Amino acid sequence: MPALRAQARPEPACPADHRVLKSPRLECAAFRNPASPKRFQSTIPYQSQLPEVSSGRLGALVNDSEKPVLLSLKGNTPLAILALADGTVFTGQSIGAAGSTLGEVVFNTSMTGYQEILTDPSYCQQIVTLTYPHIGNYGTNAEDVESARVHAAGLVIKDLPLVASNFRSTRDLSTYLCDHGTVAISNIDTRALTRHLREHGAQNGCILALPAGQTPDADLIAKAVQSARSAPSMAGLDLAKEVSTKATYTWSQAEWALGIGYALADVDRFHVVAYDFGVKSNILRMLAARGCKLTVVPAQTSAQAVQALQPDGVFLSNGPGDPQPCAYAIAAVAQLIESGVPTFGICLGHQIMALASGAKTFKMKFGHHGANHPVKELSSGRVSITSQNHGFAVDSDSLPTNLRATHISLFDNTIQGLERTDQPAFCFQGHPEASPGPPDIAYLFDRFTREMEARA
């Protein structure tokens, strides 16, 4: 069946030399001139028989509560542009704050957990594309956060439901994005974008959210492409010290339970000093739930300052950016590991521990981002489905003799886990705390407590 077109929506001005590819849901204009941007324009289906949508914010309820509709079926919201550094351009609808944002565009395959993803400090200076088509179904709330604010530079989705339904919801996603000043775009073909990133690699991009009534034109598209090209590469960026806490603090909040919320840890079996390179709250909660009294320190804290706190163990958190510029952390971790204190690293902490042990890291083509990544434990053959969020990995050919792999990715065989053979130190590339994602690999937290117990 041919696509049904919306009524007279203005099209961006385009060079005359282009070809048009049509599908039931997508019209693509790809310029033959390689110097010009490629443009992907989503169509909006015919609206005459759709339920009437009340005016106001994007999360407004439809008049007939039994017939919720998607934002892409509404067709009267401000427009937006997503431009990649290679000149590929998508146009869609703005669903967040007005203005523009820059960052490395990556894709995440999680079906749920968009609020946890947005507030994960590891996404600092990254624009997150969610591959699941309907995002925003269950709204947002005050509890499903991994830090005090949104860290993702922007959000890209296919469809935003106009009705958010969940007993815990307090705000719809669009309102949440606006309240946090986050620029976001919807109603683009995220499958085409994901394929492009998979084939050509993650790259910098710009989301330009236009004022109501303004339409994309050739000048705005060129401006967005130029902005994307001007953004710094993620390789070489030290972002850990940018998102880290500025002062030491203690943590006692434990895991969430239905009907209770977040509990407070009431047992202090071990004192753990946690380096905050961009730590997710649920990591601290899972440590606290296992009897760890937590002292969280800034990323640039010296090994001597940590040792003065007399910890039973040291934790190296997740975080954004390239691990190689974090010379301060690499040096401190090397000293702490050699001191014999049990050490556990996650994500960026995993990479820093590898560098501190003499291994090397490299920038991946498009990284691992999602909650459905299979990981194999080499010693047992056990396979766990894990949550992942990283764009750098440890080079398996660079491991020194005292550092061995414990886990590998079943997607691409990259290293997922490491352990020292001469010291009680180990690390994992993915996110055993999930949030969002499955808890299959949470047993690593128990290994950490066993290491501390053995040396108590």
Side-chain angles (χ1 to χ4, degrees):
M1 178 181 294
L4 299 176
R5 292 294 303 252
Q7 299 296 319
R9 172 177 169 179
E11 294 287 343
C14 303
D17 184 23
H18 70 280
R19 60 188 177 87
V20 176
L21 306 176
K22 293 185 177 180
S23 73
R25 288 285 295 173
L26 180 70
E27 179 186 59
C28 303
F31 302 123
R32 285 194 286 265
N33 180 358
S36 300
K38 294 181 290 183
R39 181 173 63 84
F40 295 82
Q41 172 65 54
S42 298
T43 61
I44 300 178
Y46 184 60
Q47 307 170 52
S48 65
Q49 298 181 6
L50 297 175
E52 180 183 355
V53 180
S54 59
S55 61
R57 60 189 175 87
L58 297 183
L61 295 176
V62 294
N63 289 342
D64 182 352
S65 62
E66 296 300 314
K67 297 179 180 178
V69 297
L70 300 171
L71 178 65
S72 60
L73 305 182
K74 188 177 180 183
N76 59 352
T77 58
L79 303 182
I81 299 167
L82 169 64
L84 303 183
D86 68 0
T88 304
V89 174
F90 297 78
T91 57
Q93 294 168 286
S94 172
I95 57 169
S100 64
T101 188
L102 299 174
E104 182 184 50
V105 183
V106 298
F107 63 88
N108 185 301
T109 56
S110 299
M111 295 176 67
T112 61
Y114 47 82
Q115 193 174 355
E116 293 94 325
I117 290 168
L118 288 167
T119 54
D120 180 352
S122 295
Y123 279 115
C124 176
Q125 294 195 27
Q126 288 186 316
I127 295 172
V128 183
T129 302
L130 295 176
T131 60
Y132 188 70
H134 296 168
I135 299 297
N137 308 57
Y138 53 86
T140 65
N141 61 69
E143 293 182 320
D144 291 349
V145 294
E146 289 302 318
S147 65
R149 64 182 179 88
V150 170
H151 282 274
L155 179 66
V156 181
I157 67 172
K158 173 55 182 164
D159 269 317
L160 175 70
L162 289 175
V163 174
S165 178
N166 187 274
F167 73 100
R168 298 172 64 227
S169 177
T170 57
R171 283 180 290 182
D172 61 84
L173 177 58
S174 181
T175 301
Y176 182 82
L177 293 168
C178 290
D179 289 347
H180 285 269
T182 305
V183 179
I185 184 173
S186 73
N187 198 26
I188 74 165
D189 189 340
T190 51
R191 293 177 300 176
L193 174 58
T194 299
R195 285 194 299 268
H196 188 80
L197 297 175
R198 187 184 63 199
E199 293 170 6
H200 300 282
Q203 57 184 285
N204 286 333
C206 170
I207 302 177
L208 180 59
L210 305 179
Q214 187 174 13
T215 58
D217 57 28
D219 289 340
L220 288 171
I221 289 174
K223 176 184 176 182
V225 171
Q226 184 56 43
S227 294
R229 290 171 176 167
S230 68
S233 169
M234 188 63 69
L237 281 186
D238 176 6
L239 297 178
K241 63 185 179 184
E242 302 298 326
V243 300
S244 178
T245 180
K246 304 305 179 186
T248 298
Y249 64 92
T250 58
W251 181 278
S252 59
Q253 188 182 76
E255 295 178 81
W256 184 91
L258 181 65
I260 299 174
Y262 291 113
L264 290 178
D266 54 4
V267 178
D268 293 336
R269 298 169 54 206
F270 311 105
H271 179 208
V272 173
V273 172
Y275 270 94
D276 177 12
F277 301 129
V279 67
K280 291 176 64 178
S281 295
N282 208 49
I283 291 175
L284 301 178
R285 295 177 189 128
M286 293 184 74
L287 288 168
R290 286 162 171 77
C292 297
K293 173 187 174 183
L294 291 161
T295 301
V296 184
V297 299
Q300 295 177 286
T301 303
S302 68
Q304 292 76 14
V306 170
Q307 289 172 326
L309 296 172
Q310 299 182 323
D312 298 308
V314 172
F315 175 75
L316 314 174
S317 86
N318 64 291
D322 188 341
Q324 292 189 34
C326 302
Y328 51 88
I330 296 168
V333 170
Q335 292 181 50
L336 290 168
I337 291 175
E338 293 305 321
S339 74
V341 63
T343 304
F344 176 30
I346 286 176
C347 192
L348 183 67
H350 158 89
Q351 298 159 10
I352 287 174
M353 178 183 141
L355 291 168
S357 300
K360 297 179 180 179
T361 58
F362 65 94
K363 180 79 165 66
M364 304 175 76
K365 183 177 181 180
F366 49 81
H368 292 165
H369 310 277
N372 57 351
H373 288 239
V375 167
K376 181 180 178 179
E377 184 179 59
L378 296 177
S379 63
S380 66
R382 175 180 181 176
V383 174
S384 301
I385 304 302
T386 68
S387 181
Q388 302 276 327
N389 177 21
H390 61 102
F392 293 82
V394 177
D395 182 356
S396 60
D397 293 330
S398 70
L399 301 187
T401 56
N402 64 345
L403 187 66
R404 67 184 174 203
T406 58
H407 298 75
I408 60 169
S409 167
L410 293 183
F411 279 161
D412 57 14
N413 288 322
T414 52
I415 289 178
Q416 281 288 315
L418 292 166
E419 65 182 4
R420 286 282 293 262
T421 59
D422 58 340
Q423 298 291 350
F426 69 102
C427 52
F428 186 71
Q429 178 62 83
H431 285 264
E433 84 290 348
S435 194
D440 295 21
I441 205 82
Y443 64 82
L444 293 178
F445 288 101
D446 299 320
R447 174 180 174 178
F448 185 41
T449 58
R450 288 196 303 270
E451 295 275 8
M452 290 187 287
E453 191 171 34
R455 295 175 180 268

